[in-house]
Amino acid sequence: MSDSEARFHVLRQSAGRRASAVIEAMVLSGSDIELNRINVIEFSSAHSLELDESLDAFLHAAKLGLFDMSWNLLCPGCGGVLSANTSINDIHQHDYPCAICAAGYEPTLDGMVEVTFTVSPRVRQIAAHTPDALPMWDYMQQVYWSSGIQFPPGVPMRELMEKIVVDWMELPAGEKATMSLQLPEGFFIVFDPVTHAAQFLDVQGEPTRERQEVGIVFNAVQAPTGTMKMRPGPLRLTLENRTDARVLPAIYLAGDELHHMLGQRKKFLTARDLLTNQTFRDLFRTDTLEVDQRLKITSLTFVFTDLKASTELYERVGDLVAYDLVRAHFGVLNEVVRRESGAVVKTIGDAVMASFPTPDRGIAAVLGMREAMQALNASRKSEDLLLKIGIHEGPCLAVTLNDRLDYFGQTVNVAARVQGLAVSRAIFATEPIVKHPAVAAMLSAAGLTPVPQRCNLRGIADELTVYQIP
């Protein structure tokens, strides 16, 4: 048995067999492009698998060394990969500039950072492992645009690009070359996907017969994108590569064809989705943020739970029995959180803090928690365990506290304070939760009508509307 076969054998034991079998078959017979920067959401849909099942299998495969994870910062404007990173540690808080869009973007883990999986070169060599050897359009598709753009199926990339590219070249390290062409009226972008350098050419006005000269130097310093006013007519473009790798400059017509292509986006697995996944937190405990690293998430759902009167419980049934009950309660909650694509952030005494990617996942979890606790009590023919639950959604910062991935901000504070309002089996939820369309539909289907009340939460200046879900 080869090393790869042994690893796949372990994968089948540790992850879902269906997803593991599909992944193994793809590694053995899939095309190179299928094995580069795999979009797990697209993979799941294509193979009729549940997303959680596929993600669980890819995470185990990455842990076994079968795949490498990449945390890619995607430009919100053009979908290009502004930075590809092997770890979340490599993502910085500063703005990431996009030369094509002439803008800078502060990274958000749920809007800009995709997580993809590429087969390890130890398992199978694919063309993307040596990107400097990829043909021009393969480089654009597989390296620059990654999995964020939906290209028309069955249309070769070269054929697609010929509609928007006036001319292009491959320029080796240290070399200089020229392009001579006739520029029509329009707005053009001279762009190199390797150095991420760009120059805008605004061509308008009366045509000229005089040759216009433009020179562009590619080096390690990315200068702000500038715009040159030009007239329709002959152009000699001089390009100089002062880097130690080849560059791939091309002249793009910034017209309807380009804008349409860049507007076709695919849903991708975000860093937020990964950080709120229990399998990731279990397998990659050390892959956390640096101590001084704080990254934004624009929307995350938090659930806080606590056992009512747990002190009296220890007094009433004794330490050993109470300890076993509390452990059983943690086991039940962990199972529900994992089932709803969430993750337990931490436990504090008898309390649990959990995160979920969306409000509907969070509300499904809290309803499931309540049912599970009722079942646990019924199995013991007692009402010893009563869970107090609070849920809230909003922006936050992902941070590292006590060597563990954690979250910080007012959203977390509000979620904790809302849980403190609970005194019975009723769930307390904030307005952003109950007004979420998927949550509203879920509660309506369950015959649950949230009851609003105005509350002052400790440490929160403004009065809030909080809903009690009976």
Side-chain angles (χ1 to χ4, degrees):
M1 181 182 292
S2 69
D3 179 64
S4 294
E5 289 172 334
R7 295 183 191 213
F8 275 116
H9 176 75
V10 175
L11 179 63
R12 290 192 293 271
Q13 307 307 311
S14 57
R17 286 186 170 271
R18 285 198 313 155
S20 299
V22 174
I23 291 172
E24 183 175 7
M26 187 170 66
V27 169
L28 292 174
S29 58
S31 66
D32 280 10
I33 195 170
E34 287 180 296
L35 293 168
N36 178 51
R37 290 184 178 172
I38 295 168
N39 181 324
V40 179
I41 295 176
E42 189 175 39
F43 171 90
S44 301
S45 177
H47 297 284
S48 301
L49 296 167
E50 292 294 329
L51 176 58
D52 289 344
E53 181 184 6
S54 296
L55 179 54
D56 187 69
F58 273 108
L59 288 169
H60 278 93
K63 189 66 176 179
L64 290 168
L66 293 167
F67 284 83
D68 297 324
M69 279 194 293
S70 181
W71 304 69
N72 307 320
L73 277 106
L74 304 188
C75 173
C78 69
V81 176
L82 305 181
S83 175
N85 309 281
T86 58
S87 169
I88 193 173
N89 295 341
D90 300 324
I91 301 172
H92 305 293
Q93 294 164 247
H94 62 68
D95 285 1
Y96 282 80
C98 176
I100 289 182
C101 298
Y105 301 95
E106 184 180 2
T108 57
L109 296 182
D110 51 344
M112 284 181 60
V113 183
E114 70 162 0
V115 181
T116 61
F117 296 82
T118 298
V119 68
S120 169
R122 298 184 298 274
V123 176
R124 174 177 159 181
Q125 285 284 340
I126 60 173
H129 288 148
T130 52
D132 286 346
L134 282 172
M136 168 71 173
W137 306 125
D138 289 342
Y139 185 95
M140 290 296 297
Q141 183 176 7
Q142 297 186 48
V143 179
Y144 183 72
W145 273 312
S146 189
S147 70
I149 299 291
Q150 178 67 62
F151 295 107
V155 180
M157 190 64 180
R158 185 182 187 111
E159 179 181 328
L160 187 66
M161 299 304 290
E162 282 176 348
K163 298 178 181 179
I164 58 177
V165 173
V166 177
D167 201 358
W168 67 278
M169 69 168 52
E170 180 175 329
L171 189 60
E175 294 195 9
K176 180 188 289 189
T178 60
M179 289 182 184
S180 294
L181 60 154
Q182 284 286 131
L183 275 186
E185 190 172 49
F187 196 87
F188 298 88
I189 305 172
V190 182
F191 174 68
D192 167 50
V194 181
T195 61
H196 290 211
Q199 173 68 54
F200 295 160
L201 304 178
D202 187 7
V203 183
Q204 56 182 292
E206 288 294 321
T208 180
R209 293 184 178 181
E210 295 183 8
R211 186 172 63 192
Q212 303 166 99
E213 302 271 355
V214 174
I216 300 176
V217 175
F218 302 103
N219 51 37
V221 179
Q222 184 178 339
T225 305
T227 302
M228 298 186 67
K229 297 283 188 181
M230 307 191 70
R231 292 163 62 186
L235 167 69
R236 182 163 71 180
L237 180 63
T238 302
L239 305 167
E240 184 177 357
N241 181 6
R242 293 183 184 174
T243 74
D244 56 2
R246 69 164 185 175
V247 293
L248 300 169
I251 305 175
Y252 297 81
L253 173 61
D256 292 342
E257 288 279 358
L258 178 62
H259 293 139
H260 175 75
M261 185 184 75
L262 298 183
Q264 307 305 302
R265 302 298 176 86
K266 291 187 287 189
K267 190 174 181 181
F268 55 82
L269 183 75
T270 69
R272 179 194 66 181
D273 297 330
L274 212 58
L275 298 185
T276 58
N277 179 275
Q278 192 63 54
T279 299
F280 172 78
R281 293 181 74 107
D282 291 344
L283 294 180
F284 297 89
R285 292 181 183 274
T286 60
D287 199 359
T288 57
L289 302 172
E290 298 292 346
V291 173
D292 59 350
Q293 192 179 12
R294 299 168 183 83
L295 296 174
K296 287 185 178 180
I297 298 176
T298 59
S299 174
L300 197 61
T301 298
F302 292 100
V303 169
F304 280 82
T305 73
D306 197 8
L307 284 175
K308 182 181 179 182
S310 58
T311 302
E312 289 85 345
L313 173 66
Y314 279 83
E315 184 73 26
R316 187 171 66 253
V317 302
D319 288 347
L320 287 177
V321 174
Y323 177 71
D324 287 341
L325 281 174
V326 171
R327 283 189 61 195
H329 132 271
F330 279 136
V332 165
L333 297 192
N334 284 336
E335 182 180 343
V336 174
V337 169
R338 184 185 293 271
R339 186 175 70 220
E340 296 300 335
S341 301
V344 173
V345 180
K346 58 187 173 185
T347 58
I348 309 165
D350 303 327
V352 171
M353 173 186 175
S355 63
F356 298 86
T358 54
D360 56 315
R361 290 284 198 169
I363 209 72
V366 298
L367 294 175
M369 289 174 183
R370 189 163 66 177
E371 291 177 4
M373 293 301 292
Q374 289 174 332
L376 183 59
N377 280 328
S379 70
R380 298 188 66 257
K381 298 179 180 173
S382 73
E383 292 294 326
D384 287 327
L385 300 174
L386 187 61
L387 201 62
K388 301 184 295 181
I389 304 173
I391 178 171
H392 178 49
E393 174 270 340
C396 64
L397 293 177
V399 300
T400 290
L401 291 175
N402 301 320
D403 298 322
R404 177 180 54 210
L405 182 65
D406 207 334
Y407 302 98
F408 178 83
Q410 191 74 326
T411 296
V412 179
N413 297 335
V414 170
R417 299 289 185 265
V418 167
Q419 183 273 318
L421 297 174
V423 293
S424 66
R425 68 185 295 275
I427 297 162
F428 279 77
T430 57
E431 195 164 28
I433 295 291
V434 298
K435 296 298 184 183
H436 188 275
V439 170
M442 190 180 301
L443 294 177
S444 176
L448 299 173
T449 303
V451 179
Q453 61 187 62
R454 296 294 289 175
C455 297
N456 288 305
L457 302 179
R458 182 170 58 87
I460 308 299
D462 297 328
E463 190 180 54
L464 296 178
T465 299
V466 178
Y467 291 79
Q468 182 174 329
I469 301 174

